[in-house]
Amino acid sequence: MANAVFGRFRALPAFILCLCFAYRGGYALNTPVLPLTYALLAQRLPLSLSVPPRRQSILVGQRNHCAGCGVHVETKYLRSMRFCEYFGCFFCCTCHTNTLMVVPGAVLYHWSFLMLPVSNFARDILCRLHSRPLIHLADFQSNVLKREHALRDAIELRRQASRMVPFLRLCQEGSSSVSQVERLPSHWYASADNWSLADLCAVAQGSLSIRLRQALEPCVEHLSTCLRCKARGFLCEVCHTGRVLFPFGQVNTVVCVDCGACFHRTCLSRPPTAESCPRCLRRRQRAATAAAALRMWSIGTHTEEGEEEEFADGAMQKSPIMTDKGAKRSVDRSTD
């Protein structure tokens, strides 16, 4: 039984980092909530020798067995069992050495980076997956995205980088400015949706935004001076004035979600859609005009071909038909 339980935790998939649960008061909830701090847990133990009721139900469900090695613990030694804030189970002193780590569930749902006690199995998993981008923006609680300005700032910077790097790679003179961005982790400028636990810790410390801004400054300077990049930019089709606009999340710019055209925010208060974007409307009108012209040309071509066929048929009917005898007589006369 011990080997079976141990193998179950060893075979945990990598995406468990995004599916982990945090706990409050020792009771596992259906949704991740803020777990107890280690200091609060230590203050509760001296008040009562018994385990809190909710955690006691967890221990009863384990049948006094360690969730890691499966060893049976006698009732008088249950106080020595240690609770893992990552798995929500009790472990023995061998499998749980009171290692303090950040629990992903608390970060995703409450933006809490408290160091909480976890088992050795959870420690190994969190250390192995600490730098792997397995967390998506959809995993965050909506209140966290609305409340945390540092996180929103980092998301916007990564979106700018994900659009700016492919744009500059097409410029022959932009490789030097992109090189500083490429020294960063590749998922930082590939997409703004994938995050690792190390990235979130860097966001909380403020270092991620600083590194991204420093790496993007040469790119912005290149865009302001390079004529080739300016030629690939956009002019506002509403006012037809102002500087060249780029779809990199500028403050005074709105971008069409369909064609990517840029407009001044003062000209279009909301991001245009395919129904309200001037460029999309102009392109659809041009496509409709071209389709109508092609249709008229095809109709005219078929009409001319029909007239030519009718003319050829009429000419054949009016021409005399030479019989075989007449052909022989003409041949004989020519030979004479």
Side-chain angles (χ1 to χ4, degrees):
M1 179 179 178
N3 294 332
V5 176
F6 180 78
R8 180 183 62 183
F9 283 100
R10 175 173 290 181
L12 285 171
F15 61 85
I16 196 173
L17 180 64
C18 301
L19 302 178
C20 63
F21 290 99
Y23 297 85
R24 174 178 293 168
Y27 180 71
L29 301 179
N30 293 329
T31 56
V33 295
L34 182 64
L36 285 172
T37 62
Y38 181 70
L40 183 59
L41 182 62
Q43 292 175 2
R44 282 192 175 189
L45 288 178
L47 299 178
S48 175
L49 297 178
S50 61
V51 183
R54 292 181 178 178
R55 292 197 174 182
Q56 186 176 5
S57 63
I58 297 176
L59 192 57
V60 170
Q62 295 181 206
R63 297 180 180 179
N64 294 358
H65 287 276
C66 172
C69 62
V71 64
H72 183 270
V73 181
E74 296 183 3
T75 306
K76 59 181 179 180
Y77 297 112
L78 289 180
R79 186 184 175 187
S80 63
M81 297 286 286
R82 296 173 179 175
F83 187 76
C84 176
E85 297 287 350
Y86 184 80
F87 289 120
C89 301
F90 282 92
F91 293 80
C92 64
C93 299
T94 305
C95 299
H96 195 315
T97 56
N98 282 332
T99 305
L100 300 179
M101 298 196 71
V102 176
V103 178
V107 177
L108 297 178
Y109 280 78
H110 294 277
W111 198 246
S112 174
F113 292 88
L114 296 175
M115 304 292 287
L116 304 173
V118 297
S119 62
N120 297 344
F121 301 103
R123 177 200 61 195
D124 297 339
I125 291 175
L126 292 175
C127 290
R128 186 170 66 251
L129 305 179
H130 187 69
S131 300
R132 296 181 60 180
L134 301 175
I135 301 174
H136 302 277
L137 291 179
D139 300 328
F140 285 91
Q141 187 76 8
S142 58
N143 295 332
V144 173
L145 296 175
K146 294 178 182 178
R147 184 178 65 250
E148 299 300 329
H149 300 284
L151 180 59
R152 293 206 310 269
D153 187 19
I155 293 173
E156 187 61 30
L157 285 174
R158 287 187 54 175
R159 285 175 179 170
Q160 293 181 14
S162 63
R163 297 171 182 173
M164 192 178 299
V165 171
F167 188 89
L168 291 177
R169 282 176 177 172
L170 299 177
C171 180
Q172 297 178 356
E173 301 176 357
S175 58
S176 59
S177 57
V178 179
S179 60
Q180 296 188 16
V181 182
E182 292 178 344
R183 296 173 186 172
L184 301 174
S186 59
H187 65 276
W188 282 18
Y189 56 86
S191 173
D193 186 57
N194 300 326
W195 296 79
S196 66
L197 195 58
D199 298 338
L200 299 179
C201 294
V203 171
Q205 297 172 359
S207 58
L208 187 142
S209 299
I210 294 175
R211 292 180 61 186
L212 267 177
R213 281 197 177 92
Q214 292 177 353
L216 291 177
E217 283 180 359
C219 300
V220 176
E221 294 178 359
H222 174 80
L223 290 173
S224 61
T225 57
C226 180
L227 297 179
R228 293 181 180 178
C229 293
K230 285 184 178 181
R232 294 169 50 221
F234 296 91
L235 290 176
C236 181
E237 297 189 15
V238 178
C239 63
H240 299 281
T241 58
R243 300 171 57 185
V244 179
L245 304 177
F246 297 97
F248 302 143
Q250 296 167 325
V251 178
N252 61 340
T253 305
V254 291
V255 183
C256 176
V257 296
D258 190 49
C259 67
C262 301
F263 305 91
H264 292 121
R265 191 175 294 274
T266 55
C267 299
L268 294 176
S269 58
R270 296 181 180 179
T273 59
E275 290 75 17
S276 61
C277 175
R279 188 184 183 210
C280 293
L281 296 175
R282 176 171 51 82
R283 294 171 71 178
R284 282 201 300 269
Q285 184 178 2
R286 182 187 301 172
T289 304
L294 181 61
R295 187 165 54 253
M296 294 297 295
W297 177 81
S298 61
I299 293 174
T301 303
H302 291 310
T303 304
E304 292 178 358
E305 291 179 355
E307 293 177 355
E308 291 179 357
E309 291 178 357
E310 291 178 358
F311 178 78
D313 294 341
M316 291 295 293
Q317 292 177 0
K318 293 179 181 180
S319 62
I321 300 175
M322 186 176 294
T323 60
D324 294 340
K325 294 182 179 180
K328 289 181 180 180
R329 290 176 183 176
S330 61
V331 172
D332 294 339
R333 291 176 182 177
S334 62
T335 53
D336 293 340

